[in-house]
Amino acid sequence: MAEVCFLSGIEIPKGKYSREHYCSKFRLGNLAQHPYNIFPAIKIFNHIKGSLMPCEWEKQKYDLIYHAYKNWHIKRDDRKLLRQALNGMPKINPCEYCICSQYVQYCVKNR
């Protein structure tokens, strides 16, 4: 059974797998290594998300992916994945999967 990208909902093609730290290492430090914070992802989506927190990503994902599709110089197979995502990605409640719901001092919504 193939894995699905947590960020896009697309099946991860061979050679495109990465480990997504849902809450970024930049923002959480060592806490980001917690197993409940790591999800399978497609490399290009992981790169586009960057250091955004889950709630920031969920609000901006279509705009960010569209911007990358239109403006970044990326491989044809990655462009195809972005186009596929722009046709519809699952809407999720980011707080449901966010480790910051347990460590509220890091939560963007609680600032």
Side-chain angles (χ1 to χ4, degrees):
M1 185 173 177
E3 288 194 83
V4 173
C5 174
F6 186 75
L7 300 174
S8 67
I10 298 171
E11 187 175 304
I12 302 174
K14 186 175 181 168
K16 300 288 183 182
Y17 178 87
S18 70
R19 291 170 17 113
E20 162 62 9
H21 293 81
Y22 199 40
C23 292
S24 78
K25 293 183 279 188
F26 174 74
R27 300 235 183 137
L28 294 187
N30 289 336
L31 182 59
Q33 299 300 333
H34 193 286
Y36 292 122
N37 188 47
I38 300 175
F39 296 92
I42 296 171
K43 289 177 187 177
I44 188 70
F45 293 101
N46 197 348
H47 185 67
I48 292 169
K49 178 182 171 282
S51 63
L52 292 175
M53 293 298 273
C55 50
E56 296 169 327
W57 166 251
E58 191 61 29
K59 287 179 187 174
Q60 301 175 41
K61 65 185 177 184
Y62 280 98
D63 292 336
L64 293 169
I65 291 169
Y66 183 76
H67 177 80
Y69 182 80
K70 287 292 191 183
N71 298 296
W72 292 11
H73 180 71
I74 54 177
K75 297 176 189 174
R76 183 180 301 169
D77 53 342
D78 285 336
R79 291 181 73 74
K80 184 178 176 183
L81 292 168
L82 297 183
R83 193 170 44 248
Q84 186 178 348
L86 289 170
N87 286 328
M89 291 179 278
K91 181 151 178 65
I92 65 167
N93 173 0
C95 296
E96 183 178 340
Y97 300 97
C98 183
I99 197 166
C100 293
S101 62
Q102 297 172 14
Y103 300 91
V104 294
Q105 67 269 30
Y106 297 106
C107 181
V108 173
K109 289 184 176 183
N110 287 327
R111 288 187 192 162

